[in-house]
Amino acid sequence: MDLTDNFTLEELCRTSKPYDNTPNESQVEALRALAENVLQPLRNLYGKPIIVNSGFRSAMVNKAVGGSPTSQHLRGEAADLNCENNKKLYELILYNLEYDQLINEYDYSWIHVSFTTRRNNRNQRLTT
């Protein structure tokens, strides 16, 4: 199912773990909001493909990857992204888009971004 021009539900739910990773209706809507408000505008700004390393995670998948029990991935509100220039992705999000959290993971090894419709987005920047 297409969520936007360049992002599908399937790619935002892909996992290498042997557990069911099917989102419910509210999680699909959260993934759609993430794609429409962050991922697609980011793709348009960047002008090149962006890889989603991790999007939605079921509780079992999240536990298997060592994710936080309060991770926004569990609600379909977060994605970990990669491309040929992760620092550029980070800066494009930082200066152009609304987000809840934006995390530079391990010196731009990947970028974590989240977006929520449950409350005001915090525009919180972190570094791990």
Side-chain angles (χ1 to χ4, degrees), residues 16-46:
S16 61
K17 301 302 177 191
Y19 305 111
D20 180 47
N21 203 44
T22 305
N24 64 32
E25 188 175 317
S26 67
Q27 293 159 332
V28 170
E29 287 311 308
L31 288 165
R32 184 180 309 283
L34 175 66
E36 289 175 348
N37 291 283
V38 179
L39 302 181
Q40 187 62 50
L42 178 61
R43 170 64 168 81
N44 295 346
L45 287 167
Y46 187 61

Side-chain angles (χ1 to χ4, degrees), residues 8 12-13 16 20 34-35 42-43 51 55-56 69-71 73-74 77 85-86 92 108 117-118 122-123 127:
T8 66
L12 294 180
C13 298
S16 61
D20 180 47
L34 175 66
L42 178 61
R43 170 64 168 81
I51 297 165
F56 170 73
T70 60
S71 173
H73 287 278
L74 292 161
E77 295 176 343
N85 188 343
N86 289 337
L92 286 170
Y108 302 103
T117 58
R118 297 179 302 114
R122 298 172 286 176
N123 292 319
T127 301

Side-chain angles (χ1 to χ4, degrees), residues 9-113:
L9 179 61
E10 292 75 20
E11 76 180 296
L12 294 180
C13 298
R14 189 176 303 130
T15 182
S16 61
K17 301 302 177 191
Y19 305 111
D20 180 47
N21 203 44
T22 305
N24 64 32
E25 188 175 317
S26 67
Q27 293 159 332
V28 170
E29 287 311 308
L31 288 165
R32 184 180 309 283
L34 175 66
E36 289 175 348
N37 291 283
V38 179
L39 302 181
Q40 187 62 50
L42 178 61
R43 170 64 168 81
N44 295 346
L45 287 167
Y46 187 61
K48 299 176 186 176
I50 297 168
I51 297 165
V52 177
N53 297 327
S54 181
F56 170 73
R57 295 181 195 151
S58 68
M60 291 297 292
V61 169
N62 192 60
K63 185 175 180 180
V65 300
S68 165
T70 60
S71 173
Q72 287 181 282
H73 287 278
L74 292 161
R75 292 188 298 271
E77 295 176 343
D80 295 337
L81 309 174
N82 228 331
C83 70
E84 61 189 33
N85 188 343
N86 289 337
K87 185 175 183 190
K88 177 78 171 175
L89 280 190
Y90 182 91
E91 291 170 348
L92 286 170
I93 296 167
L94 178 63
Y95 297 118
N96 298 284
L97 301 173
E98 183 179 353
Y99 56 88
D100 189 54
Q101 281 191 327
L102 178 61
I103 306 175
N104 166 9
E105 301 274 8
Y106 306 100
D107 196 26
Y108 302 103
S109 293
W110 72 89
I111 303 302
H112 169 97
V113 65

